[in-house]
Amino acid sequence: LPALPSAPGPVRRRPTRQLSVGSVPVGGGAPISGQTMTATNTADVAATLQQIAEVTAAGCDIVRVAVPSADDAAALPAITRKSPIPVIADIHFQPRYVFAAIDAGCAAVRVNPGNIRKFDDKVGEIAKAAAAAGTPIRIGVNAGSLDQRLLAKHGSATPEALVESALWECSLFEEHGFSDLKIAVKHHDPLTMIAANRLLAEQCDHPLHLGVTEAGPAFQGAIKSAAAFAVLLGEGIGDTIRVSLSAPPGEQAKAGCHILSSLGLRPRKLEIVSCPGCGRLQVDIHELAAQVEAAFDDFPHPLRIAVMGCVVNGPGEAREVDLGVSCGNGKGQIFRRGEVLRTVPESRIVETLLEEALALIEQESAK
Ligand code: SF4
């Protein structure tokens, strides 16, 4: 299919060092990658791998797993061996799990600044082991885990406090000659998170991982994340993202992909152009749009499909789509790139769109 129109002009990305999270390059002009975290008990290898398969299918590039216990650490070799995408171990308290994660072949390790003091005497050893294995370290700072000393100094988790914490923790590794570092400064408030990342971008050249932490339920959280990411990515800041929602990991991964493709930062997959409805509406447009979205969920080709609630503005309003339907009188007028093909009963709209999509793909590949 012809390339879909891309987002507004190219953004000049902030120059950063590049590191490799397994097979995925991060920073240094590499494509912006999407991450998420599994919500299984990591020690349950089968369930964790199943969830990793789901987020991979949803478009996730890198996955993070929590390692709060020895059983979780023991599961890492099996998970990293079988995961189709790079695995980052997320470790808060136990330096020995960091060594286990490096030995297990994890693509990176995330450590928590609120606990780094407990790691103090181990930082040199961690830096040495990570350097020997080529394992990057992610410094993850968020409001909830900010060092007490910095909370007291700044009064709350201000952008300055988050950045000071991140750079201080980086310095602990840099003192040992280790600089394969990626930084995340997260906050539940998009404005604080934006300010913190702008500040950080001015003060270092490490790749940045963007996230609005604890963003909320799916609808609110996706909007907060999209708003923050659009501002920062539009300024060239950010090398990898995670959307954190109170929703299944597959949904979080999907939201991240949608944000990146909406900004023209990764190829579009399915895009539904559906009308909001108005007084001319002659169909349950919410239900029909959801049915079309579900039917094309794993369609392997990028398509833009219009679902219009009446015939008044159907094909004309949606000339730039590949396929579409405009509804009225219990029927659907099916059109392709602005040209009306046929009219079918409402009950056959979804299957007809699928048939026409397959015909379109066949026709395009025969060219
Ligand atoms: Fe209203 Fe028809 Fe436009 Fe939908 S397509 S918003 S129903 S005029």
Side-chain angles (χ1 to χ4, degrees):
L1 289 173
L4 293 168
S6 61
V11 169
R12 206 176 121 72
R13 299 265 303 276
R14 161 185 169 262
T16 73
R17 298 159 188 252
Q18 186 172 86
L19 47 80
S20 296
V21 177
S23 56
V24 179
V26 175
I32 293 163
S33 48
Q35 308 191 13
T36 195
M37 230 180 140
T38 51
T40 52
N41 182 349
T42 303
D44 185 341
V45 174
T48 303
L49 285 170
Q50 171 61 33
Q51 205 161 71
I52 292 176
E54 286 163 19
V55 303
T56 306
C60 190
D61 303 301
I62 297 168
V63 68
R64 190 150 45 107
V65 299
V67 186
S69 75
D71 286 346
D72 300 314
L76 291 174
I79 293 171
T80 54
R81 208 171 40 246
K82 293 193 179 145
S83 171
I85 55 176
V87 175
I88 300 180
D90 187 284
I91 296 163
H92 279 218
F93 299 107
Q94 297 280 1
R96 68 176 192 275
Y97 300 161
V98 177
F99 296 112
I102 293 170
D103 288 346
C106 286
V109 178
R110 182 260 172 136
V111 294
N112 183 318
N115 302 312
I116 194 77
R117 278 165 181 269
K118 301 182 188 86
F119 287 22
D120 265 1
D121 59 335
K122 294 281 181 198
V123 171
E125 285 175 51
I126 292 173
K128 202 167 153 196
T135 310
I137 302 278
R138 183 183 127 195
I139 305 293
V141 182
N142 60 41
S145 61
L146 194 62
D147 188 84
Q148 288 304 318
R149 176 176 58 92
L150 292 169
L151 260 185
K153 176 177 169 188
H154 293 273
S156 65
T158 61
E160 291 75 14
L162 294 168
V163 169
E164 187 176 339
S165 176
L167 293 178
W168 168 69
E169 191 171 349
C170 283
S171 75
L172 295 179
F173 283 95
E174 285 163 342
E175 276 167 17
H176 295 281
F178 185 87
S179 57
D180 222 1
L181 300 163
K182 175 161 63 90
I183 311 179
V185 285
K186 297 189 176 183
H187 199 281
H188 61 84
D189 170 40
L191 296 178
T192 306
M193 178 271 191
I194 290 169
N197 278 283
R198 281 177 173 156
L199 210 55
L200 192 56
E202 284 169 9
Q203 296 186 37
C204 72
D205 65 354
H206 294 298
L208 301 185
H209 169 75
L210 305 184
V212 177
T213 194
E214 296 127 18
F219 187 73
Q220 184 191 114
I223 291 172
K224 282 165 77 173
S225 300
F229 296 173
V231 169
L232 289 168
L233 294 171
E235 295 174 7
I237 298 171
D239 303 284
T240 172
I241 64 158
R242 181 198 174 189
V243 176
S244 307
L245 306 173
S246 303
E251 295 298 303
Q252 300 179 52
K254 214 182 268 183
C257 290
H258 275 302
I259 293 172
L260 290 178
S261 61
S262 298
L263 295 170
L265 294 169
R266 72 166 47 185
R268 284 176 201 271
K269 286 177 141 184
L270 174 70
E271 186 183 358
I272 306 282
V273 178
S274 57
C275 85
C278 70
R280 299 184 193 91
L281 194 62
Q282 295 190 23
V283 71
D284 182 344
I285 194 75
H286 302 165
E287 176 61 23
L288 182 60
Q291 283 175 6
V292 173
E293 186 177 34
F296 281 87
D297 190 39
D298 53 2
F299 198 74
H301 299 274
L303 279 179
R304 188 175 277 161
I305 301 177
V307 182
M308 312 300 275
C310 75
V311 287
V312 175
N313 290 326
E317 208 170 79
R319 250 183 215 112
E320 289 182 9
V321 302
D322 298 298
L323 282 174
V325 59
S326 37
C327 304
N329 293 327
K331 296 182 187 133
Q333 195 180 53
I334 308 290
F335 54 91
R336 182 170 65 193
R337 297 183 182 152
E339 176 201 344
V340 175
L341 297 178
R342 54 190 162 129
T343 300
V344 299
E346 212 172 281
S347 58
R348 293 206 49 230
I349 289 174
V350 177
E351 64 181 89
T352 309
L353 286 172
L354 272 170
E355 279 167 29
E356 290 299 339
L358 291 171
L360 184 61
I361 301 305
E362 214 166 284
Q363 197 180 317
E364 294 287 339
S365 46
K367 275 185 185 170

